């Protein structure tokens, strides 16, 4: 899996590290890592409905924050569990932008093994970096 | 915990870290803990409480309570009072789950009377108080009505018939904190929260049926003042907050503060989760007004849950809730920033007291507590792990040393991931049932994360607060039924 949960940096919350050869892969992995805190088996989320996210931020770091926050928003506002199908990054002047195609379905406790709600993305030890191998991020989610 | 340079042990349960520990500390920091609790605390606590001590306008000291552990921004268990003219307001000092809190409700029933109906009660509570990931409530309302409701808090509930006047009297701030302004909340916050009034949420949120054994009453006079008078009396305790609405309010303003903090107000901080704005700035005041809406949403949420509990008990026992003695003892917040007056070096000053995973604990005779509790002090409700038990404490005069703040629960000691590795939800449920605790859960994996050993020993936490003189034990409760989010 292109993400792993970290044990030693958050007692009551959920921390993960996501990696990707490209920034798009890393963003997709981070999105799955966030959803996987709430749902045990991501394969149980069927693609019954789609949502297109068009997001922008000051930089790549805050753009990832915006993407994860968008997933949390739809979980509450429309009770939707969404996965990123593909994501395209771009820049608009000095702003970082992305367009993401996502798909998923409404929460169904009889089919989705649910774990805990993610309340928010925190900025504690938050990190998005380009490395020799590609891109990686460390994120702590508030539970 | 690793040894910390310069740390000074002030008493058996108070440890002080001087300003020389870290550059930028404006005041010393104090950790309240017994030797054992202190040694077991993660190192993050020292780092985080000393980061808090660097915030502009902090008065006195930065504190961490005995149930403290590593959080984000402030440690969980963190307390900081800010000068309202020169100080800041920080969402990281309140938490995303604004006004996460506890409510305690009496019954005039005994364990013997409840036991035969326990399964039915828990099953019905599980249906009527939705719990788990993304759960939505049974109240249908428009987004405009929700905006109105978050300005009124629990008072809105009474208008809808969800409660008694006495419930308001027995809630912090009368169930409606002043200064809530719905024009300061985003559409996204409303969209996340308007279907969630009357829901528990997940994680460590729960609703329990508990028993007070005679041997667990530590002060009969105080217990009686709070309505605990029968041997093996049954009470209800629940823990939840402002749901997606509060989480979004905190997220919105965290992002705004990051934009203006350095550029506009030249404030530099050591951790982005401590993002803040001067309390007197436009951004600071806007957040305060929005955060107060989230405080009220949470009061309304717990008020509706109380109404559902009364409905369920009334149906099962075929008696009126008043006849069943279902009065509320109190409702406390443990994630807030509130305007309060405190004595500082002999002068009465208005301060903005941030408490994140810490409970206000006003002593006897103080303004702001119900008349009925004037002599006893403010009830303080501490939720323990679902396996071990919970406490009712009261505020005491000695609380002035921590701006009248005390612990909020037992505090985690094991990460969620470790707990899931060590415990299995289904087995835990069966084990608890064998021990007489009937559990309904929205998630077996979530249940495993909340296993008793994942938490500190609540008795140690409570003893430390009593030894430090910041709160006093009244009674301990043992769970017999649990609805777990």
């Amino acid at each position: 899996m292109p993400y792993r949960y970290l044990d030693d940096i958050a007692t009551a919350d959920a921390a993960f590290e996501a990696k990707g050869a490209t920034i798009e892969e890393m963003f997709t992995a981070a999105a799955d890592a966030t959803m996987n805190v709430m749902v045990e088996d991501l394969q149980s989320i069927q693609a019954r409905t789609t949502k297109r996210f068009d997001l922008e931020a000051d930089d790549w770091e805050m753009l990832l924050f915006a993407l994860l926050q968008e997933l949390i928003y739809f979980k509450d506002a429309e009770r939707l569990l969404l996965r990123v199908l593909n994501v395209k990054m771009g820049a608009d002047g000095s702003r970082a932008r992305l367009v993401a195609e996502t798909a998923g379905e409404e929460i169904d406790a009889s089919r989705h093994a649910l774990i805990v709600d993610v309340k928010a993305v925190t900025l504690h030890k938050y990190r998005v970096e380009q490395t020799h191998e590609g891109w990686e991020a460390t994120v702590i989610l508030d539970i | 915990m690793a040894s910390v340079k310069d740390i000074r042990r002030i008493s058996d349960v108070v440890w002080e870290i001087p300003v020389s520990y870290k550059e930028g500390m404006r005041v010393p920091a104090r950790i309240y803990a017994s030797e054992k609790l202190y040694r077991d605390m993660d190192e993050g606590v020292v780092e985080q409480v000393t980061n808090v001590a660097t915030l502009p306008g902090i008065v006195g000291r930065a504190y961490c309570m005995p149930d403290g552990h590593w959080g984000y921004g402030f440690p969980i268990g963190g307390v900081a009072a800010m000068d309202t003219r020169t100080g800041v307001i920080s969402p990281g000092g309140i938490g995303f789950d604004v006004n996460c809190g506890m409510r305690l409700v009496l019954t005039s029933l005994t364990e013997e009377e409840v036991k035969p109906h326990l399964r039915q009660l828990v099953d019905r509570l599980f249906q009527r108080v939705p719990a788990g990931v993304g759960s939505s409530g049974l109240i249908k309302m428009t987004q405009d009505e929700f905006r109105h409701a978050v300005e009124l808090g629990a008072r809105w509930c009474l208008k809808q018939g969800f409660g008694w006047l006495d419930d308001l009297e027995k809630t912090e701030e009368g169930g409606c904190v002043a200064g809530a302004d719905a024009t300061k909340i985003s559409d996204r916050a409303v969209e996340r929260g308007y279907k969630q009034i009357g829901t528990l949420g997940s994680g460590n949120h729960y609703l329990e049926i508990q028993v007070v054994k005679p041997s667990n009453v530590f002060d009969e006079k105080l217990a009686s003042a709070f309505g605990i008078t029968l041997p093996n009396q049954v009470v209800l305790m629940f823990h939840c907050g402002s749901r997606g609405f509060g989480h979004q309010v905190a997220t919105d303003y965290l992002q705004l503060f990051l934009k203006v903090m350095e550029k506009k107000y030249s404030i530099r901080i050591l951790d982005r989760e401590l993002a803040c704005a001067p309390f007197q700035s436009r951004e600071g005041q806007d957040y305060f007004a929005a955060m107060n809406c989230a405080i009220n949403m949470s009061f309304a949420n717990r008020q509706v849950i109380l109404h559902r509990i009364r409905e369920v008990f009334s149906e099962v026992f075929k008696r009126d809730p008043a006849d069943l003695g279902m009065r509320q003892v109190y409702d406390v917040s443990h994630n807030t920033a509130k305007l309060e007056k405190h004595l500082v070096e002999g002068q009465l000053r208005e301060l903005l007291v941030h408490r994140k995973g810490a409970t206000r604990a006003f002593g006897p005779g103080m303004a702001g507590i119900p008349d009925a509790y004037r002599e006893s002090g403010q009830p303080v409700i501490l939720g323990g792990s679902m396996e071990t038990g919970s406490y009712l404490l009261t505020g005491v005069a000695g609380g002035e040393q921590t701006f009248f703040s005390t612990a909020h629960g037992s505090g985690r000691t094991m990460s969620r991931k470790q707990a899931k590795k060590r415990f299995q939800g289904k087995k835990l449920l069966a084990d608890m049932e064998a021990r007489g605790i009937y559990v309904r859960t929205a998630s077996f994996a979530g249940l495993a994360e909340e296993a008793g050993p994942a938490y500190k020993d609540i008795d140690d936490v409570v003893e430390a607060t009593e030894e430090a003189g910041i709160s006093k034990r009244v009674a301990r409760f043992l769970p017999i039924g649990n609805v777990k989010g």
Side-chain angles (χ1 to χ4, degrees), chain A residues 5-13 38 40 58 61-62 65 69-70 72-73 75-77 79 107 114-126 142-143, chain B residues 42 48 69-72 96-97 132-134 136 188 191-192 196 202-203 205 243-244 247-248 251 255 258-259 271-273 412 414-418 443 445 449:
Chain A
Y5 294 103
L6 307 171
D7 218 2
D8 49 350
I9 65 168
T11 313
D13 299 311
M38 297 189 270
E40 250 173 89
D58 287 342
E61 200 172 62
M62 290 314 286
F65 181 92
Q69 205 55 57
E70 199 72 0
I72 296 166
Y73 165 80
K75 178 265 302 173
D76 279 329
R79 302 188 77 240
I107 296 171
L114 301 166
I115 313 172
V116 286
D117 243 336
V118 172
K119 293 175 180 168
V121 183
T122 81
L123 292 172
H124 184 58
K125 296 190 184 287
Y126 183 76
D142 186 38
I143 301 297
Chain B
D42 29 45
Q48 291 184 332
H69 62 80
W70 209 345
Y72 42 85
F96 286 98
D97 200 357
V133 176
S136 53
R188 282 171 76 88
E191 287 154 14
R192 274 184 76 177
Q196 294 185 331
S202 69
H205 293 168
R243 308 283 291 110
H247 312 161
Q248 189 64 39
T251 300
Q255 286 172 277
L258 280 173
K259 286 200 168 83
D271 176 349
R272 274 187 293 181
E273 270 298 327
R412 275 195 91 88
M414 189 187 291
S415 75
R416 293 181 175 279
K417 191 170 170 243
Q418 281 173 323
S443 162
E449 293 183 3

Side-chain angles (χ1 to χ4, degrees), chain B residues 71 75 111 122 135 143-144 159 163 167 199 256 315 339 403 409 417 443 466 476:
Chain B
E111 184 180 13
V122 174
S135 50
Q143 294 187 14
D144 280 346
K159 285 187 176 180
D167 302 339
T199 62
L256 173 67
E315 286 162 19
L339 287 173
F403 300 108
K417 191 170 170 243
S443 162
E466 194 165 273
R476 191 184 199 280

Side-chain angles (χ1 to χ4, degrees), chain A residues 99-118:
Chain A
V99 175
E101 304 295 339
T102 70
E105 62 175 327
E106 210 175 300
I107 296 171
D108 176 352
S110 69
R111 281 192 300 109
H112 302 127
L114 301 166
I115 313 172
V116 286
D117 243 336
V118 172

Side-chain angles (χ1 to χ4, degrees), chain B residues 330-349:
Chain B
Y330 207 54
D331 177 305
V332 291
S333 310
H334 51 230
N335 282 5
T336 54
K338 287 210 225 175
L339 287 173
E340 294 172 7
K341 289 196 172 77
H342 291 277
L343 268 178
V344 181
E345 289 162 0
Q347 265 194 321
L348 195 63
R349 283 168 68 179

Side-chain angles (χ1 to χ4, degrees), chain B residues 116-398:
Chain B
H117 305 282
L118 186 64
R119 277 178 170 271
Q120 198 186 5
L121 286 166
V122 174
D123 289 345
R124 286 199 187 196
L125 288 169
F126 187 67
Q127 283 168 3
R128 304 284 267 283
V129 183
V133 176
S135 50
S136 53
L138 306 172
I139 295 175
K140 300 276 173 276
M141 64 164 81
T142 64
Q143 294 187 14
D144 280 346
E145 278 176 279
F146 181 79
R147 287 175 182 275
H148 183 55
V150 299
E151 288 189 342
L152 295 179
R155 280 190 206 161
W156 174 86
C157 302
L158 255 68
K159 285 187 176 180
Q160 313 298 312
F162 302 141
W164 308 341
L165 201 56
D166 184 59
D167 302 339
L168 298 186
E169 169 72 9
K170 303 278 172 57
T171 302
E172 253 186 72
E173 309 297 334
C176 173
V177 73
D181 179 355
T183 65
K184 305 300 181 191
I185 57 182
S186 68
D187 289 344
R188 282 171 76 88
V190 173
E191 287 154 14
R192 274 184 76 177
Y194 82 106
K195 293 176 187 161
Q196 294 185 331
I197 288 186
T199 62
L200 267 187
S202 69
N204 59 1
H205 293 168
Y206 66 81
L207 191 177
E208 275 184 354
I209 301 178
Q210 304 172 337
V211 176
V212 200
K213 304 270 182 203
S215 58
N216 284 334
V217 173
F218 305 104
D219 186 317
E220 274 186 38
K221 197 172 159 227
L222 284 171
S224 157
F226 295 142
I228 295 163
T229 52
L230 298 171
N232 302 319
Q233 189 170 344
V234 166
V235 300
L236 289 116
M237 184 183 283
F238 55 99
H239 176 216
C240 60
S242 48
R243 308 283 291 110
F245 174 66
H247 312 161
Q248 189 64 39
V249 166
T251 300
D252 289 343
Y253 282 91
L254 175 68
Q255 286 172 277
L256 173 67
F257 286 4
L258 280 173
K259 286 200 168 83
V260 297
M261 182 175 51
E262 222 176 310
K263 268 192 204 148
K264 198 166 164 185
Y265 299 112
S266 309
I267 300 172
R268 286 195 179 83
I269 47 164
L270 297 174
D271 176 349
R272 274 187 293 181
E273 270 298 327
L274 288 176
C276 55
F279 181 58
Q280 293 300 348
S281 67
R282 186 179 59 78
E283 293 84 355
Q285 287 293 304
D286 285 356
Y287 170 57
F288 189 57
M291 193 262 307
N292 283 332
C293 290
I295 288 182
N296 286 339
M297 150 65 185
S298 194
F299 284 141
N301 190 27
R302 291 197 287 272
Q303 184 61 43
V304 169
I305 292 174
L306 168 59
H307 179 70
R308 299 291 178 227
I309 293 170
R310 284 181 178 146
E311 280 179 346
V312 166
F313 270 68
S314 180
E315 286 162 19
V316 170
F317 287 96
K318 299 185 174 54
R319 283 165 67 187
D320 189 80
D323 187 38
L324 291 168
M326 300 190 75
R327 285 183 296 122
Q328 177 170 316
V329 177
Y330 207 54
D331 177 305
V332 291
S333 310
H334 51 230
N335 282 5
T336 54
K338 287 210 225 175
L339 287 173
E340 294 172 7
K341 289 196 172 77
H342 291 277
L343 268 178
V344 181
E345 289 162 0
Q347 265 194 321
L348 195 63
R349 283 168 68 179
E350 187 177 54
L351 302 170
L352 182 68
V353 185
H354 291 66
R355 295 188 183 92
K356 184 191 191 183
T359 315
R360 190 190 76 176
F362 280 177
M366 287 178 70
I369 56 178
D371 287 342
Y373 302 147
R374 190 63 28 124
E375 276 180 42
S376 50
Q378 179 209 306
V380 173
I381 306 157
L382 252 70
S385 81
M386 60 185 183
E387 288 190 82
T388 52
S390 301
Y391 272 92
L392 176 63
L393 315 178
T394 187
V396 291

